[in-house]
Amino acid sequence: MWLSGFKWMFLIIGTIIGAGYASGRELWEFFGSESGLAIVLFAILFFICCYVLMTISFQNRTEHYMPVLRELMGKRITGLYDYMIILYLFSTTIIMIAGGGATLEVLHIPYWYGVAIISLLLVLLFVWGINGMTSMNAVIIPVLIVFLVGTLFIFQWTSGFEIRFDVAAQHNWPTAFTFTALNILPLVAVLAAIGKKIKHTSEIWIASFGSALVMGVISYLYNESLLIVAHEVMLYEIPLFAILKHYPYFMVLVMSGLLWAAIYTTAASGMLGLCTRFREYVNYPFWLIALLLTFLMIPLTTIGFSTLIAILYPLYGLLNLYILGAILLYPIVHKFDERPVP
């Protein structure tokens, strides 16, 4: 029970801690000053979302996200969300593959070699299906968390632990909803894929509470650290490097590896959502579906996605807020205990 619960917990964290989060860019864009309460609210909302999504998946014994969408949104608009999730997962996975290639250029590996490496690793991961995905997260995510928390803790130690929580200065609390909504679509896709593998409700409690606690603590520590270097953050495309500027070059290389791992876990989560969805139509093994999707994605890494992102992300924001509302209201409208598990 505990082992499975932690396995799902690392899967959830691996889905959320992408390159944007690990680099500090997402946290800085959403939080910043007067955000202590916002981060606490985010952790609470995150727990509720994970618990509701995993419970629906468990009760319906799901293998992909369509039954979860129908349960949350109703039959009328499920089709719209289906297309939006496919487009979201496809576009973000392409961006992660491109980012994986670009990140390895720090080690003087040519861009296309980097793209080939991350693509090959994605396909190999799904030779073991969902078990490969969960095993990978169980190895990579604890290492990623240890290095990230260790770096932030040492930075706070050398800065005199300038962590403050002023109850009267918490005006940024509404961003908790938008930041939670940002991560809803990949959570729906990934957690729905494991519904059939969850054996007991205790696993849901462990995974939901554990991931919310870890994400809340890391987010608070990271945000407080960025506030110390707030006057320098705007000079860096990756805010984490503003924290690392006084560290040895070796640490920069280590954290660059951490960012690559975050990119890889995000790409793997997107690919998992796509593979489980398309397997309903083609009875191919996961690795073959991943290979075919990768062949489609690699040529598209050369396209500039800035226009696509500028159009899609505001739309995703609106749709995500709607589905966030549906998730938060679900326990009120429905009673989980009324439906027996098959």
Side-chain angles (χ1 to χ4, degrees), residues 192-302:
I194 62 170
K196 207 168 185 178
K197 293 183 174 293
I198 299 171
K199 299 294 189 293
H200 197 274
T201 54
S202 298
E203 298 173 27
I204 298 174
W205 280 102
I206 294 167
S208 301
F209 181 78
S211 58
L213 180 64
V214 170
M215 292 301 300
V217 170
I218 294 177
S219 298
Y220 192 81
L221 182 61
Y222 208 156
N223 189 63
E224 290 296 313
S225 300
L226 289 174
L227 286 173
I228 296 173
V229 293
H231 58 290
E232 300 176 69
V233 167
M234 298 307 295
L235 302 176
Y236 292 84
E237 186 175 351
I238 298 176
L240 178 61
F241 288 156
I243 294 173
L244 292 172
K245 73 170 189 174
H246 297 302
Y247 284 65
Y249 182 65
F250 171 74
M251 277 301 296
V252 176
L253 288 178
V254 169
M255 298 311 285
S256 295
L258 181 150
L259 290 176
W260 190 91
I263 289 171
Y264 180 61
T265 57
T266 304
S269 296
M271 190 66 79
L272 175 65
L274 290 170
C275 287
T276 53
R277 181 69 186 97
F278 289 132
R279 202 178 187 191
E280 186 182 15
Y281 302 107
V282 290
N283 194 24
Y284 295 158
F286 278 116
W287 69 267
L288 183 54
I289 299 174
L291 180 64
L292 295 173
L293 288 170
T294 302
F295 279 139
L296 288 174
M297 291 173 180
I298 288 176
L300 296 175
T301 59
T302 59

Side-chain angles (χ1 to χ4, degrees), residues 20-337:
Y21 184 96
S23 68
R25 177 54 59 187
E26 280 182 16
L27 287 169
W28 188 248
E29 292 293 334
F30 279 86
F31 294 126
S33 61
E34 301 190 12
S35 296
L37 179 59
I39 293 173
V40 172
L41 285 174
F42 155 67
I44 295 170
L45 293 171
F46 191 76
F47 163 74
I48 295 171
C49 289
C50 291
Y51 180 79
V52 170
L53 290 172
M54 291 186 77
T55 301
I56 296 173
S57 302
F58 175 55
Q59 289 178 339
N60 291 276
R61 315 304 291 158
T62 58
E63 295 181 281
H64 57 85
Y65 59 78
M66 281 299 285
V68 176
L69 276 184
R70 277 193 288 266
E71 188 75 21
L72 286 170
M73 316 304 298
K75 293 182 179 179
R76 290 187 178 180
I77 59 174
T78 293
L80 170 64
Y81 271 90
D82 183 25
Y83 291 126
M84 290 304 302
I85 289 179
I86 290 173
L87 185 58
Y88 176 87
L89 295 174
F90 195 82
S91 59
T92 52
T93 306
I94 291 171
I95 293 168
M96 291 302 111
I97 291 174
T103 303
L104 290 182
E105 288 182 310
V106 175
L107 302 176
H108 306 291
I109 297 175
Y111 172 77
W112 286 112
Y113 285 7
V115 168
I117 289 170
I118 192 170
S119 299
L120 179 62
L121 289 174
L122 279 175
V123 175
L124 287 176
L125 178 66
F126 286 99
V127 169
W128 295 276
I130 295 177
N131 290 333
M133 174 76 182
T134 53
S135 298
M136 180 272 294
N137 275 290
V139 173
I140 291 180
I141 297 305
V143 175
L144 191 153
I145 290 171
V146 167
F147 272 101
L148 184 57
V149 171
T151 301
L152 296 173
F153 186 83
I154 292 171
F155 177 73
Q156 285 287 341
W157 181 276
T158 56
S159 303
F161 279 99
E162 299 182 20
I163 296 178
R164 302 285 184 271
F165 189 95
D166 185 356
V167 178
Q170 299 296 332
H171 297 95
N172 201 31
W173 64 267
T175 56
F177 294 92
T178 52
F179 187 72
T180 308
L182 174 72
N183 298 294
I184 285 297
L185 286 184
L187 269 183
V188 172
V190 170
L191 294 180
I194 62 170
K196 207 168 185 178
K197 293 183 174 293
I198 299 171
K199 299 294 189 293
H200 197 274
T201 54
S202 298
E203 298 173 27
I204 298 174
W205 280 102
I206 294 167
S208 301
F209 181 78
S211 58
L213 180 64
V214 170
M215 292 301 300
V217 170
I218 294 177
S219 298
Y220 192 81
L221 182 61
Y222 208 156
N223 189 63
E224 290 296 313
S225 300
L226 289 174
L227 286 173
I228 296 173
V229 293
H231 58 290
E232 300 176 69
V233 167
M234 298 307 295
L235 302 176
Y236 292 84
E237 186 175 351
I238 298 176
L240 178 61
F241 288 156
I243 294 173
L244 292 172
K245 73 170 189 174
H246 297 302
Y247 284 65
Y249 182 65
F250 171 74
M251 277 301 296
V252 176
L253 288 178
V254 169
M255 298 311 285
S256 295
L258 181 150
L259 290 176
W260 190 91
I263 289 171
Y264 180 61
T265 57
T266 304
S269 296
M271 190 66 79
L272 175 65
L274 290 170
C275 287
T276 53
R277 181 69 186 97
F278 289 132
R279 202 178 187 191
E280 186 182 15
Y281 302 107
V282 290
N283 194 24
Y284 295 158
F286 278 116
W287 69 267
L288 183 54
I289 299 174
L291 180 64
L292 295 173
L293 288 170
T294 302
F295 279 139
L296 288 174
M297 291 173 180
I298 288 176
L300 296 175
T301 59
T302 59
I303 299 174
F305 284 94
S306 57
T307 304
L308 182 65
I309 290 172
I311 295 171
L312 289 179
Y313 273 35
L315 179 59
Y316 288 142
L318 291 173
L319 293 174
N320 285 6
L321 283 171
Y322 186 81
I323 199 170
L324 174 63
I327 292 171
L328 295 178
L329 289 172
Y330 189 87
I332 300 171
V333 178
H334 301 79
K335 291 184 179 178
F336 289 132
D337 295 335

